[in-house]
């Protein structure tokens, strides 16, 4: 077995360019290695499945190598000479060469890489407390790699299947690392990652108005909401009515009239002339509540019945988890106009005890204009967009007045929903397609 210098000499004797490429790939891989001294499968796969094709096909580095396969082979030769025969075989595998061939075809490339990582068993899974970002900061990148190393060690020890299965055990290993104390303090690695995510979230895009609001809210968003006695009574009634065989819908697909009457009775949003009669079609707040429950995957229509999903059934007896889940699913996780609107509404109402809707809409318009959103939806639609979201909060009893009221405020349940929602924007970012 060779050391690095002698291995490079062997390659150099055959091809000086190949030695330079192999050395460059080795240097980049070790600069972000998952282990200070040990080469890991995670590191090698990141290099040949992501870094190498990315460097070759990115706009700034297009055509960095004459031949991706030859460069990959030079790297494989270096690994082999250093005693990493298994990893050299990985570089030479049909899967790796198929990925390199597809690197310029982004949809195909993403599909192949995702399948290869899943089969390898060392790709850290998403967890109940966060999903991994595609381009995380230094802390997240290091943690992701460290999780990959732990998974590889578990596979080598026989405690994890080598085919990428065993999801609960894999999630458990990742959670153990995230909740362990970081090396230089008493806080967990999860707290370190959350701080890094918060820093990036505050500075995302260019709105000074948005940034000032969110910076003031950092302590609230960083700290998970405490257990609360506040509930979502109307939503709970709707879910409980769909237990077992589910609620039998009318011939037109509406909720049974008896259930509509019960919901009308318990929903503040239905008071004051919000509807008439006994049909769901005549009570917009009831219809909107059902729409939200279905969109959050708590209810599903099966034939002529509205039934609980597995998630809905699991949350029926756990009011705190229901509140958290609704908060996490109430907002979009994408960087869109709607996401910006939702952030501004929640931030405004968390920062002020009571606020005129017109002022909230004014802040939305400022933020959208500062961030450069144009067209529709955009700043000109600030009132419409704000009312759309406030109406949903009103139906969930998260605010104490409808969007046309003179002043609105978050209820106690609404404050918890707002904090869960903003944390979800930070901890569960949407992935690019």
């Amino acid at each position: 077995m060779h050391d690095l210098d002698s291995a490079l000499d062997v390659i150099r004797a055959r091809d000086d360019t190949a030695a330079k490429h192999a050395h460059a790939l080795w240097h980049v891989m070790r600069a972000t290695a998952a282990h200070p001294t040990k080469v890991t499968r995670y590191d090698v796969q990141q290099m040949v499945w992501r870094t190498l094709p990315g460097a070759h096909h990115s706009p700034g580095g297009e055509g960095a190598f004459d031949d991706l396969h030859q460069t990959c082979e030079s790297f494989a030769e270096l690994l082999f000479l250093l005693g990493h025969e298994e990893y050299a075989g990985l570089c030479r595998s049909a899967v790796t060469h198929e990925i390199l061939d597809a690197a310029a075809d982004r949809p195909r490339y993403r599909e192949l890489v995702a399948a290869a990582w899943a089969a390898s068993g060392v790709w850290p899974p998403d967890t109940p407390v966060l999903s991994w970002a595609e381009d995380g900061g230094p802390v997240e990148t290091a943690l992701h790699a460290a999780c990959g190393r732990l998974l590889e060690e578990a596979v080598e020890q026989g405690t994890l299947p080598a085919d990428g299965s065993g999801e609960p055990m894999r999630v458990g290993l990742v959670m153990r690392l995230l909740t362990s104390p970081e090396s230089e303090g008493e806080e967990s690695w999860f707290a370190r990652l959350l701080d890094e995510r918060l820093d990036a979230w505050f500075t995302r895009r260019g709105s000074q108005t948005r940034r000032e609001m969110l910076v003031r809210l950092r302590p609230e968003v960083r700290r998970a909401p405490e257990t609360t006695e506040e509930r979502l009574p109307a939503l709970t009634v709707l879910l409980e009515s769909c237990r077992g065989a589910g609620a039998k819908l009318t011939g037109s697909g509406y909720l049974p009239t008896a259930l509509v009457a019960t919901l009308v009775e318990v929903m503040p949003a239905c008071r004051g002339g919000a509807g008439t009669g006994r049909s769901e079609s005549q009570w917009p707040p009831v219809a909107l509540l059902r729409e939200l429950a279905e969109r959050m995957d708590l209810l599903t229509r099966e034939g002529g019945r509205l039934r609980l999903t597995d998630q809905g059934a699991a949350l029926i007896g756990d009011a705190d988890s229901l509140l958290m889940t609704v908060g996490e699913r109430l907002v979009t996780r994408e960087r869109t106009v709607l996401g910006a609107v939702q952030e501004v509404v929640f931030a405004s109402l968390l920062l002020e005890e009571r606020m005129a809707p017109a002022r909230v809409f004014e802040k939305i318009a400022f933020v959208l204009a500062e961030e450069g959103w144009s067209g529709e939806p955009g700043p000109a639609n600030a009132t419409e967009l704000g009312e759309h979201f406030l109406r949903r909060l009103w139906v969930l009893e998260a605010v104490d007045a409808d969007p046309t009221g003179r002043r609105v405020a978050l209820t106690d349940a609404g404050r918890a929903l707002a904090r869960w929602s903003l944390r979800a924007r930070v901890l569960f970012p949407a992935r690019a397609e």
Side-chain angles (χ1 to χ4, degrees), residues 1-287:
M1 186 171 67
H2 294 262
D3 62 19
L4 179 61
D5 289 337
S6 65
L8 290 170
D9 285 340
V10 171
I11 301 172
R12 192 175 294 112
R14 175 182 60 81
D15 185 331
D16 184 61
T17 299
K20 289 178 179 177
H21 286 169
H23 192 194
L25 268 57
W26 175 266
H27 177 73
V28 171
M29 184 183 74
R30 294 309 302 158
T32 57
H35 190 279
T37 57
K38 182 182 176 183
V39 175
T40 69
R41 175 177 290 273
Y42 178 98
D43 295 333
V44 175
Q45 290 178 176
Q46 277 285 78
M47 173 52 67
V48 296
W49 294 350
R50 180 177 182 178
T51 307
L52 177 58
H56 187 69
H57 289 284
S58 65
E62 191 169 351
F65 307 99
D66 291 336
D67 187 309
L68 274 180
H69 296 279
Q70 289 181 1
T71 303
C72 188
E73 171 56 33
S74 300
F75 186 55
E77 184 179 2
L78 176 60
L79 290 171
F80 184 86
L81 291 170
L82 293 172
H84 305 298
E85 292 89 349
E86 182 183 356
Y87 299 150
L90 187 157
C91 295
R92 290 166 172 155
S93 68
V95 168
T96 294
H97 286 290
E98 189 177 12
I99 288 171
L100 295 178
D101 282 334
D105 179 354
R106 297 307 292 176
R108 176 65 175 156
Y109 167 77
R110 284 180 175 274
E111 178 185 342
L112 289 172
V113 170
W117 272 110
S120 76
V122 300
W123 183 256
D126 290 338
T127 74
V129 298
L130 66 83
S131 59
W132 297 101
E134 288 191 332
D135 295 299
V139 172
E140 182 162 0
T141 299
L143 275 176
H144 198 262
C147 288
R149 175 171 59 83
L150 283 180
L151 294 172
E152 182 175 3
E153 290 175 350
V155 170
E156 290 175 347
Q157 294 165 5
T159 57
L160 266 184
D163 60 1
S165 60
E167 185 77 359
M169 290 186 290
R170 296 169 68 240
V171 171
L173 281 173
V174 172
M175 285 293 293
R176 190 181 306 168
L177 177 59
L178 289 175
T179 55
S180 65
E182 54 101 352
S183 56
E184 298 180 358
E186 297 181 356
E187 291 202 293
S188 67
W189 282 111
F190 170 77
R192 284 281 307 279
L193 190 153
L194 176 56
D195 282 333
E196 182 176 77
R197 288 267 187 99
L198 286 170
D199 290 340
W201 182 53
F202 293 151
T203 57
R204 186 187 304 155
R205 298 192 297 266
S207 171
Q208 184 64 26
T209 302
R210 171 187 170 278
R211 187 176 303 120
E212 289 174 355
M213 287 193 295
L214 295 181
V215 166
R216 291 170 59 195
L217 284 172
R218 183 184 187 116
E220 284 208 58
V221 178
R222 190 179 189 274
R223 185 182 71 254
E226 300 84 0
T227 299
T228 175
E229 291 301 318
E230 295 304 318
R231 301 294 181 256
L232 302 171
L235 180 60
T236 299
V237 167
L238 177 59
L239 296 181
E240 288 178 342
S241 300
C242 296
R243 286 179 183 269
K248 189 176 186 330
L249 301 173
T250 68
S252 300
Y254 293 120
L255 294 174
T257 55
L259 176 54
V260 172
T262 301
L263 290 170
V264 168
E265 183 68 25
V266 300
M267 291 179 69
C270 289
R271 296 167 196 158
T276 57
R278 303 176 63 198
S279 171
E280 177 189 350
S281 64
Q282 297 171 307
W283 291 95
V286 173

Side-chain angles (χ1 to χ4, degrees), residues 16 83 116 150 262 295 359 385 417 424:
D16 184 61
L150 283 180
T262 301
R295 186 172 64 81
R359 284 195 59 219
L385 294 167
L417 282 178

